[in-house]
């Protein structure tokens, strides 16, 4: 073993340790690895930065932009709405239709994006038909993951796979090379839940059916419903103070919904807004607490206030449940930092995160992906807030228009991009042309396009590409592959395929599936050459098997659905273990029979 091989394997071991222990964020680990390799003399400095201009990175960036454009323009609604009408109240029909649609969408947009798109619709069906959400959401998530294997741009591992092929002087896979295998996996997953769903899926009762969606929400979260209106006299102790100085929430448990001055109404007033004599205020909460607050601050009742009557009209305002999606700009920040009231004029009522509920002042609590926020406000403000970039609206609202009004143009750009890729143009060039086409045709603004990009994923992929280069150039891949071949001995090809699929599956459970692909593809390429098996077939099996992440909620789709469906780790182990075995059997069999 040479010094270069030893140093490369040392960097690899440290990277694996960091990925498994999560001491650092995945994208930070990738950047550190990319910087360490040239400093150790294992690759050239330009190789360390090659990932930023790689075909995989540009393709991933363009897919994110186009996926956002398709969603914002309303194209995806064309798909979702008819499915929701046909699904009706049938659990199996819902699972089948939603799974097919989400799986096919995931072939051309990030699986997490396809999942977020269907969550509100699935929850709506759950409430209306009294079908437990836990019986619908996991099949949705699994189908989205499986759908990522239907095209070479459906998942990070498959996008980066073509770059790894070029590094090994192998021809790239075509856009639909993997489609027969991906459709087989998607069909297997859907049939699995249709046949065994009632056995492997938990059954946790959905909220009671009620034509009044507000009542559903109130009952589900035990929300306060009484609104109290008071006038602030000149002698009131409230004059000149802010809501926080008056301790409206901390001492009385009341939410300040609005402040009216003359004909002007300020909804969900900012925390720095000071009370003025003559104002009327609307408070939400317990009647005894409201009476005590009014008495201690010398307030006068003003229940007939017409300006504030909008707060009691279900057609104009109410409660809404919003979900924090992946890549949301609000992740990691708190309500003060995002200025929720100032920016969107809604009042935060409740925060549900990691199975816990916060009802008092949670303004300083950091927001995480998958958190649920219940707010109160006017419907227009709530719809502005839930723009699918910051928050996703789960609650039905009256007359909720969506889309940029250019769905035909968005679809044209998408079809043109796919057509260019099929015609043989470089994938990154074709997809980026489609994304920029959406900007030029004003489907999305350039700022929206930038915000749609998950830069953590971009740097994760770009940072790991140099490790693949180092594995090949130092001979580390050949060295490790030789050791694995010695262990396998003269094993039959089918056993080697099974071992490679299982190894990729195990790696993807404990680290990024992109990282698992980068680490394993150079190894299996050498193994294939030495064993007389088509290296491209083994590499494709790794790229596909890296998506076999069902046993634990480590995949971002599973993590997103876990709180929404009330799932536990045991639920994923029960349903996911069978799915993982089926995935492995189908993937190995199809690749062995048709791709080698």
């Amino acid at each position: 073993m040479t010094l270069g091989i030893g140093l490369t394997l040392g960097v690899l071991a440290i990277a694996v340790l960091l990925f498994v222990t999560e001491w650092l964020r995945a994208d930070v680990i990738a950047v550190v690895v990319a910087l360490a390799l040239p400093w150790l003399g294992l690759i050239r400095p330009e190789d360390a930065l090659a990932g930023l201009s790689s075909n995989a990175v540009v393709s991933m960036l363009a897919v994110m932009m186009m996926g956002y454009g398709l969603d914002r323009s309303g194209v995806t609604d064309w798909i979702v709405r008819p499915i929701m009408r046909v699904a009706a109240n049938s659990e199996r029909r819902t699972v089948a239709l939603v799974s097919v649609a989400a799986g096919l969408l995931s072939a051309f947009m990030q699986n997490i994006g396809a999942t977020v798109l269907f969550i509100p619709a699935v929850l709506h069906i759950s409430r209306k038909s009294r079908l437990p959400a836990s019986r619908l959401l996991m099949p949705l998530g699994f189908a989205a993951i499986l759908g990522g294997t239907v095209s070479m741009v459906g998942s990070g591992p498959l996008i980066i796979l073509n770059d790894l092929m070029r590094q090994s002087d192998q021809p790239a896979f075509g856009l639909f090379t993997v489609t027969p295998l991906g459709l087989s996996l998607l069909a297997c997953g859907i049939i699995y839940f249709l046949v065994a769903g009632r056995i492997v899926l938990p059954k946790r009762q959905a909220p009671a059916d009620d034509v009044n969606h507000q009542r559903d929400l109130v009952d589900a979260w035990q929300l306060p419903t009484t609104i109290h209106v008071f006038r602030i006299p000149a002698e009131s102790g409230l004059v000149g103070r802010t809501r926080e100085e008056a301790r409206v929430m901390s001492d009385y448990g009341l939410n300040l919904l609005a402040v009216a001055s003359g004909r002007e109404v300020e909804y969900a007033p900012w925390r720095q807004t000071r009370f003025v004599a003559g104002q009327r205020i609307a408070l939400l909460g317990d009647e005894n607490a409201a009476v005590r607050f009014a008495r201690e601050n010398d307030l006068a009742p003003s229940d007939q206030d017409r300006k504030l009557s909008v707060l009691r009209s279900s057609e104009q305002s109410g409660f809404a449940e919003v979900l924090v999606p992946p890549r949301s700009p609000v992740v990691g920040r708190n309500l003060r930092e995002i200025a929720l009231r100032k920016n969107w004029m809604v009042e935060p009522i409740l925060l549900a995160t990691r199975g816990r509920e916060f009802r008092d002042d949670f303004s300083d609590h950091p927001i995480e992906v998958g958190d649920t926020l219940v707010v109160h406000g006017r419907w227009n403000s709530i719809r502005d807030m839930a723009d699918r970039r910051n928050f996703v609206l789960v609650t039905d609202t009256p007359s909720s228009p969506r889309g940029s009004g250019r769905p035909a143009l968005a679809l044209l750009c998408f079809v043109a991009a796919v057509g260019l890729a099929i015609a043989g143009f470089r994938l990154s060039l074709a997809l980026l042309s489609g994304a920029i086409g959406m900007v030029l045709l004003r489907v999305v603004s350039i700022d929206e396009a930038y915000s749609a990009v998950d830069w953590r994923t971009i740097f994760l992929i770009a940072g790991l590409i140099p490790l693949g280069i180092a594995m090949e150039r130092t001979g580390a891949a050949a060295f490790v592959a030789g050791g694995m071949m010695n262990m396998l001995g003269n094993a039959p090809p089918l056993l080697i395929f099974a071992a490679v699929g299982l190894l990729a599956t195990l790696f993807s459970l404990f680290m990024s599936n992109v990282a698992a692909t980068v680490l394993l593809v150079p190894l299996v390429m050498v193994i294939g050459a030495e064993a007389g098996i088509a290296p491209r077939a083994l590499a494709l099996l790794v790229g596909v098997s890296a998506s076999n992440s069902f046993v634990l909620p480590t995949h971002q789709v599973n993590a997103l659905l876990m709180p929404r469906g009330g799932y536990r780790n045991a639920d994923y182990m029960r349903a996911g273990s069978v799915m993982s075995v089926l995935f492995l059997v189908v993937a190995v069999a199809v690749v062995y029979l048709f791709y080698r």
Side-chain angles (χ1 to χ4, degrees):
M1 180 170 61
T2 66
L3 177 62
I5 293 176
L7 289 175
T8 302
L9 294 180
V11 173
L12 172 61
I14 293 173
V16 172
L17 177 65
L18 291 174
F19 277 123
V20 172
T21 59
E22 297 183 345
W23 287 346
L24 296 173
R25 213 169 69 180
D27 54 326
V28 176
I29 298 171
V31 173
V32 169
V33 168
L35 293 174
L37 294 171
W39 283 114
L40 292 173
L42 301 174
I43 59 174
R44 298 173 301 175
E46 52 266 34
D47 291 330
L49 303 177
L52 290 172
S53 61
S54 70
N55 184 66
V57 167
V58 177
S59 298
M60 177 69 80
L61 180 147
V63 166
M64 293 175 181
M65 290 181 175
M66 285 200 296
Y68 180 80
L70 291 172
D71 183 26
R72 284 293 291 163
S73 66
V75 170
T76 47
D77 279 352
W78 289 358
I79 302 171
V80 173
R81 288 174 182 170
I83 291 172
M84 297 304 104
R85 286 196 297 268
V86 175
N89 297 334
S90 168
E91 179 179 332
R92 287 192 173 186
R93 195 158 54 235
T94 300
V95 168
L97 292 173
V98 169
S99 296
V100 169
L104 295 180
L105 275 177
S106 292
F108 298 103
M109 66 187 297
Q110 282 195 304
N111 45 36
I112 192 71
T115 305
V116 167
L117 171 68
F118 279 92
I119 287 177
V122 170
L123 292 179
H124 172 71
I125 290 178
S126 174
R127 286 191 296 268
K128 291 289 290 181
S129 60
R130 302 188 67 179
L131 294 173
S134 59
R135 301 286 284 269
L136 304 176
L137 288 175
M138 190 179 291
L140 163 66
F142 282 18
I145 296 173
L146 293 169
T149 65
V150 173
S151 81
M152 293 301 295
V153 295
S155 66
L158 290 176
I159 289 177
I160 201 171
L161 181 59
N162 272 338
D163 271 30
L164 298 174
M165 291 292 98
R166 293 187 181 94
Q167 289 175 16
S168 302
D169 296 323
Q170 293 279 343
F173 292 103
L175 180 61
F176 296 109
T177 299
V178 75
T179 300
L181 173 56
L183 290 177
S184 300
L185 291 169
L186 178 60
C188 177
I190 295 173
I191 293 172
Y192 164 56
F193 280 116
L194 292 179
V195 173
R198 294 181 180 273
I199 301 173
V200 299
L201 291 172
K203 185 177 182 179
R204 300 193 176 98
Q205 189 59 42
D209 184 30
D210 195 321
V211 294
N212 189 329
H213 300 299
Q214 285 295 288
R215 179 55 55 189
D216 287 345
L217 200 59
V218 168
D219 291 344
W221 293 106
Q222 295 297 300
L223 302 174
T225 56
T226 307
I227 297 176
H228 315 272
V229 180
F230 299 101
R231 182 175 54 83
I232 305 177
E235 63 275 13
S236 170
L238 211 56
V239 174
R241 301 165 71 188
T242 67
R243 64 191 299 160
E244 291 187 349
E245 291 171 348
R247 305 180 69 84
V248 177
M249 170 55 69
S250 56
D251 284 1
Y252 302 93
L254 298 172
N255 292 98
L256 179 61
L257 299 184
V259 172
S261 299
R263 295 184 177 183
E264 300 296 324
V265 179
E266 181 180 0
Y267 296 96
W270 189 36
R271 59 190 178 90
Q272 298 293 346
T273 300
R274 297 191 177 276
F275 295 110
V276 177
Q279 286 180 332
R280 292 96 64 204
I281 61 174
L283 301 171
L284 175 71
D286 179 72
E287 183 174 357
N288 292 331
V291 170
R292 181 166 63 90
F293 178 77
R295 183 178 65 249
E296 294 177 0
N297 289 279
D298 299 318
L299 303 180
S302 183
D303 286 333
Q304 303 303 315
D305 193 293
R306 292 185 177 182
K307 283 294 180 182
L308 295 177
S309 62
V310 62
L311 296 172
R312 294 192 173 103
S313 170
S314 61
E315 293 299 317
Q316 296 177 283
S317 64
F319 294 103
E321 188 178 357
V322 295
L323 180 70
V324 180
R327 303 191 309 276
S328 169
V330 307
V331 173
R333 305 166 68 190
N334 58 44
L335 297 187
R336 294 184 192 276
E337 292 170 335
I338 66 174
L340 182 78
R341 297 184 179 96
K342 185 178 181 182
N343 288 328
W344 290 293
M345 294 181 289
V346 296
E347 176 68 12
I349 306 297
L350 176 148
L351 174 68
T353 176
R354 293 180 178 269
R356 300 175 58 194
E357 294 181 13
F358 296 89
R359 295 176 181 269
D360 296 327
D361 187 3
F362 47 86
S363 300
D364 297 316
H365 196 286
I367 299 172
E368 301 180 28
V369 172
D371 282 359
T372 296
L373 190 65
V374 177
V375 299
H376 188 285
R378 293 172 300 163
W379 296 129
N380 287 340
S381 298
I382 289 171
R383 285 192 288 268
D384 289 342
M385 170 193 179
D387 58 2
R388 289 183 180 261
R389 184 169 71 92
N390 294 284
F391 301 94
V392 174
L393 183 62
V394 176
T395 305
D396 294 316
T397 63
S399 305
S400 53
R402 282 209 49 234
S404 64
R406 294 181 171 88
L409 294 177
L411 190 60
L412 174 65
C413 292
F414 173 74
V415 171
V418 174
L420 289 172
I422 295 173
F425 290 93
R426 191 175 179 88
L427 183 63
S428 55
L429 180 64
L431 296 179
L432 189 58
S433 297
I436 295 303
M438 289 188 180
V439 174
L440 294 178
L441 294 174
R442 298 185 179 180
V443 175
V444 296
S445 68
I446 189 63
D447 290 332
E448 288 177 320
Y450 288 148
S451 67
V453 177
D454 183 358
W455 294 104
R456 289 173 293 185
T457 300
I458 296 300
F459 277 94
L460 171 63
I461 297 174
L464 289 175
I465 287 175
L467 182 57
I469 296 174
M471 290 286 290
E472 181 183 355
R473 292 186 179 175
T474 62
F479 176 81
V480 174
M484 293 180 64
M485 283 303 298
N486 290 334
M487 293 176 58
L488 290 172
N490 296 319
L494 183 58
L495 182 59
I496 295 177
F497 273 92
V500 168
L502 179 60
L503 193 62
T505 297
L506 293 176
F507 268 54
S508 67
L509 288 177
F510 301 104
M511 68 171 64
S512 159
N513 51 14
V514 172
T517 304
V518 172
L519 297 179
L520 291 177
V521 166
L523 302 181
V524 302
M525 293 285 286
V526 178
I527 290 175
E530 292 186 2
I533 301 173
R536 288 165 53 80
L538 290 177
L540 183 62
L541 181 59
V542 168
V544 170
S545 297
S547 296
N548 191 4
S549 302
F550 305 104
V551 177
L552 296 173
T554 50
H555 193 286
Q556 56 182 348
V557 169
N558 294 334
L560 175 66
L561 294 178
M562 195 170 185
R564 307 300 311 153
Y567 297 120
R568 307 183 182 96
N569 286 338
D571 297 327
Y572 281 100
M573 293 182 69
R574 181 171 58 253
S577 58
V578 179
M579 184 70 252
S580 292
V581 172
L582 292 174
F583 185 109
L584 197 58
V585 170
V586 172
V588 170
V590 174
V591 173
Y592 179 77
L593 293 174
F594 300 106
Y595 286 87
R596 68 189 182 101

